[in-house]
Amino acid sequence: MKNDIVLSVMNERGISIRQCAKDIGIGRPDLSSALNGKKPMYPKYRQLLSKYLCIDEADLFPDEEDGDGND
């Protein structure tokens, strides 16, 4: 699933995927693929993006599972 909320926030703030990936320490291809729904948005990616954008993780990723197996 494409992460429209994250992409929208980044766009509004003028943050490129390349810059974001560099700043949070994720490879650009990996971040791009996760944001575009081509690979899973791993919990660590969600955590790093949330911290980087200063937005609660639940608000950025409302449709994501928490990954603890308690769905």
Side-chain angles (χ1 to χ4, degrees), residues 10 12-13 15 35 40-41 45 48 57 60-61 70:
M10 288 173 56
E12 287 173 11
R13 295 182 184 182
I15 302 169
L35 288 172
M41 180 59 72
Y45 290 9
L48 290 168
E57 189 174 327
L60 279 180
F61 305 99
N70 295 322

Side-chain angles (χ1 to χ4, degrees), residues 18-36:
R18 179 181 305 275
Q19 185 62 48
C20 180
K22 179 181 173 188
D23 291 347
I24 66 175
I26 295 175
R28 192 218 34 91
D30 290 331
L31 181 58
S32 180
S33 292
L35 288 172
N36 289 307

Side-chain angles (χ1 to χ4, degrees), residues 46-63:
R46 294 194 312 254
Q47 179 185 22
L48 290 168
L49 285 165
S50 173
K51 185 174 180 181
Y52 179 71
L53 297 172
C54 299
I55 299 176
D56 187 73
E57 189 174 327
D59 293 332
L60 279 180
F61 305 99
D63 298 327

